[in-house]
């Protein structure tokens, strides 16, 4: 095993389109890093450069101290798992898994032993003599992983390997892949557009947009301390609610957040932990509210009354353990820059807000209710740069 270093990797196509700009990442030995971003952001291009399937326009790629820029794909000691499985239909599971070893002219006895070991790890022992057509989607993906495992590479590359599976199977395979990778200890670079997949699998998650790295951090840090509006909205489901707002000081020494027609008290602790907010008093800013930081006031009546907004419920989604509520507030929404989100929401500025209420709520569509806002957990961003306001 070795560390993997991407040093200012850039990809510019002959037509002048720049798909990747100065991508710098270091994967430590045995690390599981996920690169996530919206459709067309350059994440698959980055993976293909690492694999040697795309030329590197500038920058350097290292495995340990070995520079790989001009090394042919077959000599890079990298195994790739595709979303399409790419299995040979005429071969058995055992033959598919062992095919890379056969190409290397590994002795048959050793080849069979390594295939059996991989099959045991992947729980495919009973399917070794089956053809791919007899397997489920999850089993086929395991076979594709087995073919990578037997090579014992320095690096696994996984290109959206779960995208062809149904929702229930994806959940199971997320856990399986993470467990298998942990057991094997092979450094893994995993690409996906699914932020839930990224958050549940990666030891660290790198968020990319328009070919530019936005932030790389453990999942919890990305969620709690996003560096900018794009990361804030992209990480989390449902997405963070983002609005134009303003802060003002009160006569008593406190602060109020003006959010459309609403005025919310902001505790001193918010200002103390974000000293940079002081320069935005009486200036416009962007405020972000996670859906879970909103609650039906009837469920939690002890919440301060000066930290509430009123709204009419427009859509209700009962999910069992929680209920998602959708409503509108009279505050301009902020575009996060996620093209997938724009496709879903359309171009109108609706002021739409999503809240994650507890299942105890009795609110229904058409009800006008009071909604608690946990102002201690608000997120603030500069309205021009969209960068987080902290120190």
């Amino acid at each position: 095993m070795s560390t993997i270093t991407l040093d200012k990797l850039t990809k510019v196509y002959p037509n002048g389109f720049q798909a990747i700009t100065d991508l710098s990442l270091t994967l430590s030995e045995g690390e599981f890093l996920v690169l996530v971003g919206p459709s067309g952001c350059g994440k698959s291009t980055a993976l293909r450069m690492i694999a040697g399937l795309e030329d590197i326009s500038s920058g350097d790629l290292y495995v340990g101290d070995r520079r790989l820029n001009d090394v042919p794909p077959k000599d890079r000691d990298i195994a790739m798992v595709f979303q399409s499985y790419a299995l040979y239909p005429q071969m058995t599971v055992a033959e598919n898994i062992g095919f890379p070893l056969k190409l290397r002219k590994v002795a048959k006895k050793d080849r069979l032993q390594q295939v059996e070991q991989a099959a045991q790890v992947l729980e495919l022992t009973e399917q070794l003599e089956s053809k791919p057509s007899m397997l489920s989607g999850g089993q086929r993906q395991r076979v594709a992983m087995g073919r990578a495992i037997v090579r014992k590479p320095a690096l696994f590359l996984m290109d959206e390997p779960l995208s062809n599976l149904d929702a229930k199977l994806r959940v199971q395979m997320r856990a399986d892949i993470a467990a298998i990778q942990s057991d094997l200890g092979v450094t893994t670079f995993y690409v996906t557009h699914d932020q839930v997949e990224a958050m549940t699998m990666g030891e660290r998650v790198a968020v990319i947009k328009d070919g530019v790295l936005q932030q790389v951090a453990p999942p919890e840090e990305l969620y709690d301390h996003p560096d900018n509006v794009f990361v804030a909205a992209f990480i989390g489901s449902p997405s963070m609610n983002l609005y134009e707002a303003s802060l003002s000081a009160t006569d008593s020494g406190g602060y109020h957040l003006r959010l459309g027609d609403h005025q919310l008290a902001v505790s001193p602790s918010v200002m103390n932990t974000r000293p940079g907010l002081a320069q935005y008093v009486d200036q416009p800013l962007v405020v972000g509210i996670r859906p879970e930081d909103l609650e039906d006031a009837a469920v939690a009546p002890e919440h301060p009354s000066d930290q509430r907004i009123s709204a009419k419920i427009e859509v209700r989604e009962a999910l069992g353990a929680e209920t998602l509520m959708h409503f509108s507030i009279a505050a301009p929404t902020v575009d996060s820059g996620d093209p997938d989100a724009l496709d879903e929401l359309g171009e109108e500025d609706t002021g739409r807000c999503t809240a994650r209420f507890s299942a105890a709520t009795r609110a229904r569509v058409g009800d006008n209710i009071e909604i608690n806002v946990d102002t201690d957990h608000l997120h603030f961003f500069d309205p021009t740069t969209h960068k987080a306001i902290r120190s």
Side-chain angles (χ1 to χ4, degrees):
M1 295 188 295
S2 302
T3 57
I4 313 299
T5 304
L6 286 62
D7 184 14
K8 296 184 179 180
L9 290 193
T10 296
K11 177 64 182 181
V12 182
Y13 286 99
N15 64 2
F17 175 69
Q18 189 154 327
I20 297 290
T21 303
D22 291 339
L23 178 61
S24 294
L25 286 169
T26 298
L27 286 72
S28 58
E29 291 188 7
E31 182 179 11
F32 194 126
L33 185 139
V34 180
L35 182 67
V36 64
S39 303
C41 69
K43 53 189 183 295
S44 291
T45 301
L47 181 141
R48 291 173 61 82
M49 285 197 290
I50 297 170
L53 304 177
E54 292 276 5
D55 292 334
I56 297 171
S57 301
S58 64
D60 295 298
L61 171 66
Y62 292 93
V63 174
D65 296 328
R66 185 187 181 205
R67 186 174 181 271
L68 296 188
N69 289 45
D70 301 317
V71 175
K74 65 182 180 65
D75 298 326
R76 293 195 176 198
D77 196 17
I78 291 172
M80 193 164 178
V81 179
F82 300 91
Q83 60 183 357
S84 62
Y85 315 142
L87 303 179
Y88 297 103
Q90 75 277 14
M91 294 184 182
T92 65
V93 168
E95 290 169 337
N96 265 286
I97 293 175
F99 190 68
L101 301 177
K102 187 175 182 180
L103 290 178
R104 293 182 177 182
K105 302 188 184 302
V106 174
K108 184 176 181 180
K109 180 180 178 181
D110 293 336
R111 188 166 73 236
L112 291 175
Q113 183 180 12
Q114 292 181 52
V115 167
E116 288 174 359
Q117 289 174 348
Q120 188 173 4
V121 169
L122 296 164
E123 298 181 358
L124 287 171
T125 302
E126 295 182 2
Q127 285 78 35
L128 282 175
E129 298 307 315
S130 301
K131 298 288 181 67
S133 61
M134 302 168 64
L135 305 179
S136 67
Q139 289 171 328
R140 293 179 192 179
Q141 191 55 269
R142 287 171 180 269
V143 175
M145 287 188 64
R147 191 170 50 196
I149 287 171
V150 295
R151 292 180 57 186
K152 298 179 180 177
L155 175 66
F156 280 152
L157 297 178
M158 298 191 180
D159 187 11
E160 306 212 33
L162 307 184
S163 60
N164 290 333
L165 305 179
D166 62 55
K168 185 176 181 180
L169 191 52
R170 279 202 304 272
V171 173
Q172 179 61 47
M173 285 300 296
R174 285 203 307 255
D176 289 347
I177 289 177
I180 290 166
Q181 189 276 338
S182 179
D183 289 342
L184 295 173
V186 178
T187 309
T188 301
F189 188 87
Y190 188 107
V191 164
T192 181
H193 69 279
D194 186 334
Q195 58 93 14
V196 175
E197 200 170 290
M199 295 288 281
T200 54
M201 297 179 72
E203 295 173 51
R204 286 191 303 152
V205 177
V207 182
I208 189 172
K209 174 182 179 287
D210 298 332
V212 178
L213 184 66
Q214 303 294 306
Q215 186 175 358
V216 55
E220 298 83 1
E221 183 177 337
L222 278 182
Y223 191 82
D224 293 335
H225 305 289
D227 279 352
N228 56 47
V229 162
F230 175 77
V231 176
F234 191 78
I235 298 298
S237 181
S239 182
M240 181 185 288
N241 304 292
L242 293 161
Y243 304 100
E244 295 178 12
S246 62
L247 272 175
S248 60
T250 66
D251 294 338
S252 60
Y255 293 88
H256 278 135
L257 178 74
R258 173 64 67 178
L259 184 63
D261 294 338
H262 304 282
Q263 188 167 275
L264 301 169
V266 176
S267 68
S269 65
V270 172
M271 304 299 292
N272 293 337
T273 56
R274 302 171 179 85
L277 274 177
Q279 62 183 301
Y280 289 86
V281 174
D282 297 325
Q283 299 293 325
L285 48 67
V286 174
V287 65
I289 311 172
R290 292 278 184 203
E292 61 269 27
D293 293 326
L294 298 164
E295 179 59 280
D296 184 354
V299 174
E302 70 282 358
H303 191 81
S305 59
D306 58 1
Q307 296 179 8
R308 291 177 179 172
I309 59 176
S310 57
K312 182 179 180 179
I313 300 301
E314 298 170 354
V315 178
R316 177 179 181 272
E317 298 178 272
L319 303 179
E322 62 188 19
T323 301
L324 298 184
M325 295 292 192
H326 303 269
F327 49 89
S328 296
I329 60 177
T333 54
V334 173
D335 175 16
S336 69
D338 181 354
D340 296 340
L342 284 177
D343 290 342
E344 293 177 9
L345 296 175
E347 297 181 358
E348 290 188 15
D349 182 8
T350 63
R352 174 65 66 87
C353 185
T354 300
R356 179 181 276 127
F357 286 0
S358 69
T361 181
R362 293 294 176 262
R364 295 294 184 267
V365 173
D367 289 351
N368 289 291
I369 66 170
E370 292 290 307
I371 299 167
N372 296 337
V373 181
D374 185 352
T375 60
D376 285 349
H377 289 93
L378 294 176
H379 297 259
F380 298 94
F381 306 90
D382 183 278
T384 302
T385 66
H386 281 190
K387 291 183 178 180
I389 301 171
R390 293 177 184 145
S391 57

